[in-house]
Amino acid sequence: MPTLRQRVNAWFDHDLPSNWGGRLIGGFVALLIVVNVSSVVLESVESLRERHFATFWWIEQISTAVFTVEYLLRVWSAPDRISARFRAPVWGRLRYASQPFSLVDLVAILPAILGMLGADDLRVLRLLRLLRMLKLTRHSTAFALLWDVFREEAQSIGAVLFMLLITLIMSGSIMYMLESDAQPEVFSSIPAAIWWALVTLTTVGYGDMVPITPLGKIFGGFVAVVGVCTLALFSGLLTVSFMDQLRLRREQYRSLLRAGVAGRQIRARDAAAMEQLGAEMGVSRRDAEAMVGQVLADAAADRCPHCGQPMPHPAEAAK
């Protein structure tokens, strides 16, 4: 029989098959995050804060209590994670607590800790409470997929950002030389000109800094075109990587389906569990249903029509 800590870990370990307890807790925490963030936003309206002060207070206390219990349970059950990195009773928990998602969970309860320590800067505390929205990334398949994209393409993204940094510095420096004499108050320094290069490369163009010399206008148009090309390169890189991740997950899902149906009878409940696994892996419901149906059809075609047992492979039958 699993221990209490193992049962608790089954609720929080996303590497394990999902269960009703984990889905219930995840849904409740996600709903509480939405309610808490909405409360923080509405509390900034003075009339609402004065009229519903008690309601906002209770929402904050209940949210903090739930987030604290969740964080402590996650850290306590960390040694039972599938990953061997957290097996050590002390260092494993510390290593788990230093993970990005764990730090986000810690930030969620940090306002209460600072409040108990006497912090009274309401703006800082309100900002920290708004950061609780980051906890939603733990419960979102889309965020997990996007994180995989950034992790796999870190080198390529770093190269594009480095090119953008060089372009910013060079564009700002050249524009400073072209416009500093004509507009000494506007293009007063290279850092000030870099701000112009930033808003131009990103095609925002606030209009607070505009070249007026002929050479400055020509160079400004060139920088705007370069900005469009750079953003197109960056967005194209992310799009291709995103599609590759989706294709990889579909292939992994199809492989898991084939391994799951090999040599066994599949019931309707098993098919529903397979479709749920697809949702957790980021596969759309329509694609999951199609792949489950295809794999089940292929498995049925490989079974004996009389006894339902798997048919031997042609090579094995020849032996």
Side-chain angles (χ1 to χ4, degrees):
M1 293 293 293
T3 63
L4 175 62
R5 196 176 70 183
Q6 290 173 337
R7 290 197 294 267
V8 171
N9 175 66
W11 297 340
F12 301 117
D13 193 350
H14 295 286
D15 293 331
L16 292 174
S18 63
N19 54 77
W20 68 268
R23 291 194 294 269
L24 180 63
I25 293 175
F28 175 72
V29 171
L31 177 62
L32 191 60
I33 293 171
V34 174
V35 172
N36 183 263
V37 172
S38 301
S39 172
V40 174
V41 173
L42 296 176
E43 191 181 4
S44 62
V45 182
E46 185 175 356
S47 59
L48 293 177
R49 181 172 64 251
E50 295 176 353
R51 189 181 311 168
H52 304 284
F53 177 80
T55 302
F56 293 141
W57 186 86
W58 276 110
I59 291 175
E60 173 62 19
Q61 302 308 311
I62 294 174
S63 302
T64 301
V66 172
F67 295 153
T68 302
V69 172
E70 181 203 13
Y71 177 75
L72 294 177
L73 289 177
R74 286 183 180 276
V75 175
W76 175 62
S77 61
D80 289 317
R81 296 290 192 276
I82 287 184
S83 176
R85 296 183 301 163
F86 312 122
R87 294 293 168 81
V90 177
W91 290 109
R93 289 187 172 97
L94 292 176
R95 189 175 293 112
Y96 176 79
S98 63
Q99 299 299 303
F101 280 136
S102 300
L103 295 177
V104 170
D105 293 336
L106 180 61
V107 169
I109 63 176
L110 197 58
I113 298 176
L114 294 178
M116 290 186 295
L117 295 177
D120 55 356
D121 192 337
L122 297 180
R123 293 175 299 176
V124 175
L125 295 179
R126 184 175 291 119
L127 175 61
L128 291 176
R129 289 164 61 189
L130 287 174
L131 290 178
R132 290 170 177 170
M133 289 187 297
L134 296 176
K135 284 177 63 66
L136 290 174
T137 59
R138 183 191 291 275
H139 307 284
S140 174
T141 304
F143 278 109
L145 181 60
L146 189 60
W147 173 253
D148 289 340
V149 170
F150 282 115
R151 184 177 56 188
E152 293 296 329
E153 299 296 335
Q155 186 174 2
S156 300
I157 293 175
V160 173
L161 293 178
F162 182 69
M163 291 171 53
L164 181 60
L165 177 63
I166 293 178
T167 306
L168 276 175
I169 296 176
M170 294 297 297
S171 301
S173 301
I174 295 175
M175 185 56 73
Y176 170 73
M177 291 189 300
L178 296 176
E179 292 288 329
S180 59
D181 293 336
Q183 302 183 81
E185 298 84 6
V186 179
F187 292 89
S188 57
S189 62
I190 291 180
I194 289 177
W195 165 253
W196 168 86
L198 178 62
V199 297
T200 304
L201 284 171
T202 55
T203 68
V204 176
Y206 288 124
D208 55 343
M209 301 177 68
V210 180
I212 60 175
T213 63
L215 288 178
K217 291 180 179 180
I218 294 174
F219 182 72
F222 173 76
V223 172
V225 173
V226 171
V228 173
C229 296
T230 303
L231 292 180
L233 175 63
F234 187 74
S235 60
L237 173 64
L238 291 182
T239 301
V240 171
S241 180
F242 198 85
M243 297 303 296
D244 287 342
Q245 283 294 325
L246 284 177
R247 179 177 53 79
L248 177 61
R249 291 197 175 200
R250 289 191 180 99
E251 292 299 327
Q252 292 175 343
Y253 179 59
R254 186 177 287 107
S255 299
L256 289 175
L257 289 180
R258 289 170 178 169
V261 302
R264 52 185 294 237
Q265 295 286 345
I266 302 299
R267 297 168 293 180
R269 183 177 60 183
D270 298 324
M274 292 176 182
E275 294 176 2
Q276 176 64 30
L277 175 62
E280 295 174 1
M281 295 183 65
V283 180
S284 67
R285 184 178 184 85
R286 183 181 63 183
D287 291 344
E289 291 177 353
M291 282 189 280
V292 168
Q294 182 63 43
V295 171
L296 291 180
D298 294 342
D302 293 335
R303 294 179 183 275
C304 176
H306 302 289
C307 63
Q309 296 299 318
M311 296 287 289
H313 192 272
E316 297 179 358
K319 292 180 182 180

